[in-house]
Every structure is written in structure tokens, then in C-alpha cells.
């Protein structure tokens, strides 16, 4: 039987969990359809999720369809929990992107599309809520092709399917013209992300759900896996008894109970006590898990999300990252170091919390995506650890970069020590992060020393010279270096490398970068003037409003620092009729650098 891991993603309120329920019901896993508004959906098992009607934690369910066993991974739709979604993408064979037929392609939909492109996940699209009068098949399909990809093809139109698929790629077109285009070619084109099958329906009414399930079964294929054990960790959590669970996808070989599992971070390894295959809240304990299986194991204390186990490499650094920094306000009866230990448990589950003990201020600090995540975290801490915390107002996480190419030189030569490092530092494309490489000749500096310098460049977050914010968007090239045959030790190059970075930053022209929201603002037509004035006041940019008879939609970008509390204002001046949706676009030059 083919085993395929398929994730389901969407902008919040597109009907993602409803589609999950419908797929499970249609496949015979559920005898009764659950509903988000009835608080009885199969995959939203957490009490907080059921109260709020949103998915917060990724969950899985197993469903069989013909000769295929799908592991369906449901991910959060709210932008505040998109880091959880990104972690899940790393283990997917395919993705289902749910679009609301009445809302079309929204800002967070495009963020999800960028993530799918980055992780090269083949994607099927289900346009939901087509039973609503406000839904238009033509309008949404036009948005899919213009805003996402012109490889989007309506798979509901079987008569012209081969012809429409052929228009997505020259190779497919040539086969179509020669009358040799086969179904296997379409399967390959989907896997290569040249074609994105689209189907339309209503998950709540089960319209188009069986057809979508058949499309998934027919046009997916199981990846090829190696014989050696390999696995990718995508989630850490606890079961009801407090046991640590490591969720992983087996990407090679077979994992067996009592087997010792190792990683690059832990060469000694630890023994697997139990292997559990979850479906909703229930699980089946198994003796072994073969390649393609998504499972949870107990007994591993060293694992972190993104870890590669066995012959699997560690995951790349995440694309989405928090932009707000908060200080924790503890109750009087809780010791800071006791609380810190609890926060470390949460950090293992979500590394992007980036929990820090600030010795100088005597406080715990962490990073979050937004206000909803903040509220959920308070509740989680109270439910799991039994104490209430508060947070300060929070600060924006700024970054720094350079605008010109410079050389940074670092010397370290106290008595009986010597190391010298020359770095070329160049500005890079916005939101590209830091790229590190060597152009140093081996006759100038031995390869081992070069590798050590590159390790020191990547092992820590280097801080800028304007505000002490992390540096980003630059290329750091090792140009040259010197070592002494007798007096150089490994630690000498660490000091010389750090000094070279600092020297380069001090001699460059640096600028401050701030996080920027991409927003969609919908207001009654009589409020559009006020909305545009507000956006200009917030140093935002926007396109001309799209107006209908009674409402206007404005899309654009604005600094997070100016727009983060704007939702409350919108509710007030529109008397609850306005709607603001924000997703992080990336970083841009700061609008008020002198003040920052």
C-alpha cells in the first residue's frame, strides 16, 4: 500500500478543518461529521481550540482510499501560529491548500504559497464555500492563476484536462501535440510543481469532496526511500500523562522499538521506548514503522523540531520568524528559575519562542508572532503548569544590515596565541538572511582552519553596531587568514572571526530594518477616507481601493510597529463592520531609524 503524508493548509476561516472532517467522513473514518461551530471536530482536540474555533496545534489522522494510505496533517490557519505550519511542511509529500470561494486569495494565502514553494511541496487546491452566493468560480480561478501560479488547472473539467495541463509546460505541450501525453506525465508534472490541480466544492455540504479524494488518490505517488534509517522531527509535545512525544516522519529504512536513535546533535543516541501512530486523539502502538510513516515516539529527550535522525540532515532555518519580543511578568509565589525550566519545555516544542534569561534585568524574555499567540500561551501555561503569567507591552524585533561592501579584519595575538581573519562583507537581497562561504586559497590558510572560521561565523547571532540588533541580508566571504605553526589553537580563530565581523560592521554604512505587514483592510465605503488617512499616518503604502456598493477593500504594506494595535481602531470607527487581516511580508528599511 502506498503511504503518503499530505498536509492541509489555509488562511483562517477558509473551512480547512471542515474539509478535513469531510475527507475523513467520505473515506469512512468518521461515522458522523463533526463541526467547528459545534465544538466536536475530530482533529481540533484541544480544549482551547474547541473554545476558540481555530486550529492551534498540528494534528494527524489516517485515512485509506483504495490502494493509498494518507496521513492527513491538519495545520493552524491563523497567522500567529504559522511557525507550527512551517514545521509541518518539512515532512509533507503533498499539500492541500484550501481557498475560500467568497474571499479568494488572501494575504496569508500568499504567505503559505511562498512556504510551499520554498519547501518544494506539490500542491492540490480545493476552493471551498462554493455554495455561498458571494462565491464566483471564474473570479477565484482567475486569482489562482494570477496571484499564485499559471500552473493552476481546473481538474473538474475532464474534457479539456489534457489540453489545459499541456499549456503549463513546453515538454507537456510537445507530448500533447504528438498525442503521447499520459496520466503518468501529469503525475510527474504535479510532483515537479509545474501543475497544481484545482477542484471546487463545499466541504460543509460534502459537495466535490469525493471527487477531490479521488483526484488525490489518482494523481499522487509515494516517494522513493533509502534502505538506511532516516527520520525528520517536526513536532515535540506531551501526552496526557506528561510523557515527552517526538513526532517524526520516517524518511528511510525502518524504526523499531528499543532501537537506539542518533543525530548530528547527539552521537550517542537514546533508545526508543514506544512507537505510536496517531489518528486524532487515539493512537495505535506498533513494534516498527517503515519509511513514509508519520509517528510519535517516547524515550527521546534530546530531540528538537527540525532535527534529522539517522542519515537525515537537519532542516533549514525557518522562513517565518517572530517579530515581537515580550518580557514575562511572574506571580509573586513563582521563582524565576522554576518558571524558566517550564518555559524551556515550551521552547523545545516551539524553538521560535527563543526563551532568554536576561541576567541584567532579572527577567524571562521570549518572542512571539502576535497577540492571539500571547493569549493562548497564557492559557497553556496555566493549564499545564498551574500558574498565571502576564506579559509587558512587547517590543518590535529590529534587524540591521549594511549598504556597501567592506573588508573586516580580525587579529587575536596575546602571548603564545595567534590568528588573523580577513572577511569581505557584502549587502544582499532583502529577506535573504546571511550567506557564508570561503574564497580563501588553501596555500594561504589550511582547509581545517577555514572550516573552523565558517563554523564560528554561523554558530552565533552577530549583532549590529547601531542598536545591537541581529544582522541580516548580507554575504560574508572568507577572503584570507593566517595561522601560526606553533601557537595557533582553535579558540584563537573564534576571537579573530568575531573581531573581523565587528571591524567590518564598524567600517560599513549600516541601516536599521523593521518588520512590515502585508494587509487587507475591508471597511464600509463611508469609512474609506479615514482608512486611507490612517494608513498614510502609519507610513504605509497601498493600492487604490477596490470598491463595491457598500464596502471598500484596501491592500498594501505598513510597519508592524505602527499597525500592530490598529485592529481595535478599525472595530471602533467602523462600528464592528471593518475587518483587518495582516501577515508578515518581511523586513524593510526602518521608517523612523533615528527614533529607534
Amino acid at each position: 500500500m502506498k503511504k503518503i503524508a499530505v498536509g492541509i493548509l489555509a488562511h483562517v476561516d477558509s473551512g480547512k478543518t471542515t474539509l478535513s472532517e469531510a475527507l475523513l467522513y467520505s473515506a469512512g473514518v468518521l461515522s458522523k461529521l463533526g463541526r467547528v461551530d459545534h465544538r466536536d471536530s475530530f482533529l481540533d482536540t484541544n480544549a482551547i481550540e474547541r473554545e476558540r474555533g481555530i486550529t492551534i496545534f498540528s494534528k494527524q489522522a489516517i485515512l485509506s482510499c483504495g490502494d493509498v494510505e494518507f496521513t492527513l496533517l491538519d495545520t493552524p490557519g491563523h497567522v500567529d501560529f504559522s511557525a507550527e505550519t512551517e514545521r509541518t511542511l518539512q515532512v509533507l509529500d503533498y499539500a492541500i491548500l484550501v481557498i475560500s470561494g467568497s474571499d479568494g486569495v488572501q494575504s496569508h494565502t500568499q504567505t503559505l504559497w511562498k512556504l510551499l514553494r520554498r519547501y518544494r511541496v506539490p500542491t492540490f487546491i480545493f476552493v471551498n464555500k462554493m455554495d455561498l452566493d458571494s462565491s464566483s468560480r471564474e473570479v477565484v480561478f482567475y486569482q489562482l492563476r494570477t496571484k499564485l501560479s499559471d500552473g493552476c488547472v481546473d481538474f473538474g473539467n475532464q474534457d479539456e484536462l489534457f489540453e489545459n495541463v499541456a499549456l503549463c509546460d513546453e515538454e507537456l505541450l510537445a507530448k500533447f501535440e504528438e498525442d503521447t501525453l499520459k496520466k503518468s506525465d501529469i503525475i510527474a508534472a504535479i510532483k515537479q510543481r509545474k501543475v497544481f490541480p484545482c477542484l471546487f466544492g463545499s466541504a460543509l455540504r460534502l459537495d466535490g469532496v469525493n471527487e477531490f479524494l479521488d483526484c488525490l488518490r489518482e494523481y499522487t505517488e509515494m516517494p522513493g526511500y533509502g534502505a538506511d534509517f532516516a527520520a525528520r522531527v517536526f513536532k515535540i509535545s506531551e501526552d496526557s500523562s506528561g510523557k515527552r512525544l517526538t513526532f517524526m516522519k520516517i524518511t528511510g529504512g525502518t524504526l523499531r522499538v528499543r532501537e537506539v536513535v542518533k543525530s548530528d546533535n547527539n552521537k550517542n543516541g537514546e533508545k526508543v521506548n514506544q512507537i505510536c501512530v496517531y489518528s486524532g486523539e487515539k493512537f495505535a502502538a506498533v513494534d516498527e514503522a517503515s519509511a513514509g510513516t508519520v509517528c510519535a515516539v517516547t524515550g527521546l529527550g534530546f530531540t528538537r523540531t527540525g532535527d534529522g535522525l539517522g542519515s537525515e540532515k537537519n532542516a533549514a532555518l525557518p522562513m517565518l520568524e517572530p517579530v515581537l519580543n515580550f518580557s514575562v511578568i511572574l506571580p509573586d509565589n513563582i521563582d524565576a528559575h522554576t518558571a524558566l525550566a517550564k518555559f524551556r519545555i515550551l521552547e523545545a516544542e516551539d524553538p521560535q519562542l527563543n526563551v532568554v534569561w536576561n541576567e541584567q534585568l532579572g527577567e524571562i524574555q521570549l518572542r512571539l508572532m502576535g497577540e492571539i499567540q500571547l493569549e493562548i500561551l497564557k492559557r497553556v501555561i496555566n493549564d499545564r503548569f498551574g500558574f498565571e503569567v502576564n506579559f509587558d507591552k512587547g517590543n518590535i524585533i529590529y534587524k540591521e544590515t549594511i549598504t556597501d561592501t567592506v573588508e573586516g579584519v580580525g587579529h587575536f595575538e596575546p602571548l603564545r596565541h595567534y590568528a588573523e581573519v580577513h572577511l569581505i562583507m557584502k549587502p544582499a537581497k532583502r529577506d535573504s538572511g546571511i550567506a557564508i562561504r570561503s574564497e580563501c586559497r588553501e596555500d594561504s590558510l589550511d582547509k581545517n582552519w577555514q572550516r573552523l572560521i565558517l563554523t564560528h561565523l554561523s554558530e552565533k547571532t552577530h549583532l549590529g553596531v547601531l542598536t545591537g540588533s541581529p544582522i541580516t541580508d548580507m554575504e560574508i566571504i572568507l577572503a584570507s587568514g593566517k595561522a601560526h605553526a606553533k601557537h595557533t589553537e582553535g579558540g584563537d580563530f573564534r576571537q579573530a572571526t568575531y573581531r573581523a565581523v565587528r571591524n567590518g560592521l564598524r567600517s560599513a554604512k549600516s541601516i536599521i530594518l523593521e518588520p512590515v505587514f502585508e494587509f487587507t483592510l475591508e471597511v464600509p465605503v463611508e469609512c474609506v477616507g479615514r482608512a486611507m488617512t490612517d494608513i498614510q499616518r502609519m507610513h504605509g503604502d497601498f493600492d487604490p481601493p477596490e470598491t463595491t456598493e457598500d464596502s471598500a477593500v484596501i491592500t498594501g504594506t505598513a510597519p508592524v510597529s505602527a499597525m500592530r494595535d490598529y485592529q481595535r481602531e478599525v472595530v471602533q470607527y467602523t462600528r464592528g463592520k471593518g475587518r483587518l487581516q495582516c501577515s508578515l511580508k518581511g523586513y524593510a528599511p526602518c521608517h523612523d531609524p533615528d527614533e529607534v
Side-chain angles (χ1 to χ4, degrees), residues 50-95:
R50 290 192 162 171
E51 283 170 27
R52 287 183 171 261
I54 59 172
T55 303
I56 298 167
F57 310 103
S58 62
K59 258 92 64 210
Q60 72 185 65
I62 308 295
L63 63 103
S64 295
C65 182
D67 62 341
V68 185
E69 181 186 273
F70 289 109
T71 300
L72 188 67
L73 289 156
D74 190 17
T75 66
H78 198 285
V79 64
D80 279 16
F81 306 103
S82 45
E84 179 94 357
T85 301
E86 183 172 5
R87 287 192 285 273
T88 308
L89 287 186
Q90 298 172 12
V91 298
L92 297 184
D93 301 321
Y94 292 87

Side-chain angles (χ1 to χ4, degrees), residues 34 59 66 71 78 98 139 223 234 307 333 335 386 407 439 441 479 481 493 537 592:
K59 258 92 64 210
T71 300
H78 198 285
V98 186
V139 169
F234 69 96
D307 277 1
N333 62 332
D335 171 66
E407 182 181 15
E439 287 183 359
R441 297 199 319 272
F493 271 109
R537 170 177 56 81
D592 57 348

Side-chain angles (χ1 to χ4, degrees), residues 157-228:
N157 183 359
Q158 286 293 316
D159 294 337
E160 298 173 13
L161 180 59
F162 275 53
E163 184 180 345
N164 292 333
V165 164
L167 296 173
C168 298
D169 180 67
E170 287 181 16
E171 197 178 316
L172 295 173
L173 185 59
K175 286 187 176 182
F176 177 73
E177 289 170 345
E178 293 163 8
D179 204 24
T180 59
L181 184 62
K182 300 193 291 289
K183 183 177 163 186
S184 58
D185 298 316
I186 299 177
I187 292 171
I190 292 168
K191 194 156 189 182
Q192 292 160 16
R193 286 179 51 86
K194 292 176 181 176
V195 172
F196 303 96
C198 305
L199 283 107
F200 297 76
S202 167
L204 192 60
R205 297 179 184 274
L206 296 177
D207 291 343
V209 174
N210 276 324
E211 292 83 352
F212 188 67
L213 201 51
D214 287 341
C215 183
L216 278 176
R217 180 179 57 80
E218 281 190 48
Y219 291 100
T220 53
E221 64 179 15
M222 185 174 173
Y225 295 109
D228 294 336

Side-chain angles (χ1 to χ4, degrees), residues 164 389 406 421:
N164 292 333
V389 299
V406 293
V421 174

Side-chain angles (χ1 to χ4, degrees), residues 416-430:
R416 295 192 191 86
H417 292 272
Y418 181 81
E420 184 178 321
V421 174
H422 292 246
L423 304 174
I424 303 297
M425 301 168 74
K426 297 179 176 180
K429 200 172 73 174
R430 195 66 65 234

Side-chain angles (χ1 to χ4, degrees), residues 7-48:
I8 186 161
L9 300 84
H11 189 289
V12 70
D13 292 335
S14 297
K16 176 180 55 62
T17 301
T18 308
L19 179 61
S20 299
E21 292 286 313
L23 290 170
L24 292 167
Y25 179 78
S26 298
V29 177
L30 303 180
S31 56
K32 173 180 168 289
L33 269 175
R35 286 181 54 158
V36 175
D37 52 346
H38 293 173
R39 300 180 181 179
D40 62 354
S41 56
F42 182 72
L43 285 169
D44 282 348
T45 53
N46 185 280
I48 310 172

Side-chain angles (χ1 to χ4, degrees), residues 445-474:
L445 186 65
D446 188 74
K447 197 74 177 172
N448 288 339
W449 293 128
Q450 290 189 39
R451 276 199 290 266
L452 191 61
I453 292 167
L454 297 181
T455 300
H456 293 323
L457 284 170
S458 59
E459 73 187 352
K460 67 170 278 189
T461 301
H462 299 279
L463 304 180
V465 295
L466 299 176
T467 60
S469 302
I471 60 169
T472 188
D473 298 348
M474 67 175 78

Side-chain angles (χ1 to χ4, degrees), residues 313-332:
K313 296 289 177 215
N314 289 343
L317 291 172
M319 183 176 101
L320 300 177
E321 54 183 353
V323 295
L324 301 170
N325 193 60
F326 292 88
S327 296
V328 181
I329 302 166
L330 295 170
D332 294 337

